[in-house]
Amino acid sequence: MNGTDAGGQGGTVDQPTKRGLRRDFLAVRRGLTEDDARKAAAVLAGHALELPELATAGTVAAYVSVGREPGTRVLLDALHARGTRVLLPVLLPDNDLDWAVYDGEDSLVGVAHQGKMPLLEPAGRRLGPDAVLEADAVLLPGLAVDHDGTRLGRGGGSYDRVLARLERAATDPALVVLLYDSEVVAHIPGETHDRPVHAAVTPSGVRRFR
Ligand SMILES: Nc1nc2c(c(=O)[nH]1)N(C=O)[C@@H](CNc1ccc(C(=O)N[C@@H](CCC(=O)O)C(=O)O)cc1)CN2
Ligand SMILES: Nc1ncnc2c1ncn2[C@@H]1O[C@H](COP(=O)(O)OP(=O)(O)OP(=O)(O)O)[C@@H](O)[C@H]1O
C-alpha cells in the first residue's frame, strides 16, 4: 500500500499514478481494431463460461461492455440463455450503482451520463444498490489488475463501493475482472479502500489470485 494518487498527476517512471496508468491502458484499447475486439470477446466468453463459479451461480452481477472494453455481450446472452439470473448496473448520480435484471438485448437502453462514455443500461425495474448482495459471482470492469488482484478501475469508485458493500454484508461472491492479456501486470498502486478481486479472465485464460 503506498497511498498515492486518486486524482494525482500523470505517471512518472518509478511511481506511476492511477491516472497516468488509466490513460496508458485506455490508449492501448483505442488501438484495437473491431476485429481484434470481436475475436477477443468470443474467446473470453468461452473461458468465463467454463468458470465453475459462474456455472454454479444462480445470480451473476455483470455489466454491458461498450467501445473497446473486453466484450461481455456474448457472455451475457449465454448466461441468460442457460437460466442464470443476470443483474446489470445502473449508474446513479453519486457514482453508486443500482441494479436491474438482464432480459435480453431488447431490455437495454443507451444512456449518456455527463462526462462519461455512453453506456448501455437495463431498462427493467430497479432493485436498489443492495441487490448486488444477491450475486454469487460479480463480473467487474477494469483497466488492469496486478498479481495480488489489485484492480485499476475507471476512477468513479462505483465498484469500490460495491466491494465495500459486499464486505460489510459478509457475502463472499466470486470477484472476476474481465481484461485483455496485456492488462494483467506486475503492480498496480493500491489504496486502502481497494479490495482485491479473485480472478481475471482474459482471452488467454483464467488467472487466479486467491
Ligand atoms: N461498460 C461499463 N459499464 C459500467 C462501468 C464500466 O466501467 N463499463 N462502470 C464502472 O464503474 C459503471 C459506470 N461508471 C463509469 C465510470 C466512468 C466512466 C468513464 O467514461 N470514464 C472516463 C473518464 C472520465 C473522467 O476522467 O472523469 C473514461 O474512462 O474515459 C464510465 C462509466 C457501471 N457501468
Ligand atoms: N466505499 C466507498 N464509498 C465511497 N467512495 C469511495 C469508496 N471507495 C472508494 N471511493 C472513492 O472513489 C474514488 C475512485 O477510487 P479509485 O480511484 O480507486 O477508483 P477505481 O477503483 O479505479 O474505480 P471503480 O471502483 O469505479 O472501478 C475515490 O475518490 C475514492 O475515494
Side-chain angles (χ1 to χ4, degrees):
M1 210 64 57
N2 57 41
T4 52
D5 176 52
Q9 299 302 301
T12 60
V13 173
D14 55 343
Q15 186 54 80
T17 64
K18 283 188 171 181
R19 182 185 288 190
L21 286 169
R22 282 188 190 105
R23 185 193 55 213
D24 295 347
F25 285 113
L26 284 169
V28 174
R29 282 189 181 179
R30 276 196 295 274
L32 296 172
T33 66
E34 203 168 319
D35 198 43
D36 295 334
R38 196 173 42 243
K39 285 178 183 153
V43 182
L44 196 144
H47 293 310
L49 288 166
E50 283 167 16
L51 280 174
E53 294 94 327
L54 287 197
T56 57
T59 297
V60 173
Y63 64 96
V64 189
S65 58
V66 294
R68 288 291 180 265
E69 289 185 314
T72 65
R73 303 289 291 270
V74 180
L75 179 55
L76 296 182
D77 283 325
L79 289 169
H80 182 239
R82 76 183 185 193
T84 306
R85 179 171 179 255
V86 178
L87 299 179
L88 294 176
V90 176
L91 185 63
L92 296 173
D94 66 353
N95 276 344
D96 205 348
L97 300 178
D98 201 338
W99 299 88
V101 168
Y102 178 56
D103 194 19
E105 219 170 298
D106 294 344
S107 70
L108 299 177
V109 287
V111 183
H113 293 284
Q114 191 162 19
K116 305 217 160 55
M117 58 188 179
L119 297 175
L120 283 165
E121 294 186 340
R125 188 170 67 86
R126 297 184 183 193
L127 305 173
D130 278 347
V132 73
L133 301 178
E134 296 160 20
D136 302 299
V138 181
L139 302 178
L140 299 91
L143 296 177
V145 73
D146 73 13
H147 298 165
D148 298 323
T150 300
R151 183 187 61 95
L152 179 71
R154 283 190 180 264
S158 301
Y159 279 87
D160 292 325
R161 268 170 252 213
V162 166
L163 296 176
R165 185 172 270 121
L166 295 168
E167 194 168 278
R168 277 198 305 275
T171 61
D172 186 26
L175 303 175
V176 181
V177 63
L178 306 178
L179 296 170
Y180 293 107
D181 291 322
S182 60
E183 296 169 343
V184 181
V185 299
H187 180 68
I188 294 291
E191 297 176 83
T192 44
H193 64 248
D194 287 323
R195 300 280 173 273
V197 296
H198 304 143
V201 180
T202 72
S204 73
V206 177
R207 296 280 302 266
R208 289 185 182 276
F209 309 116
R210 81 155 186 193

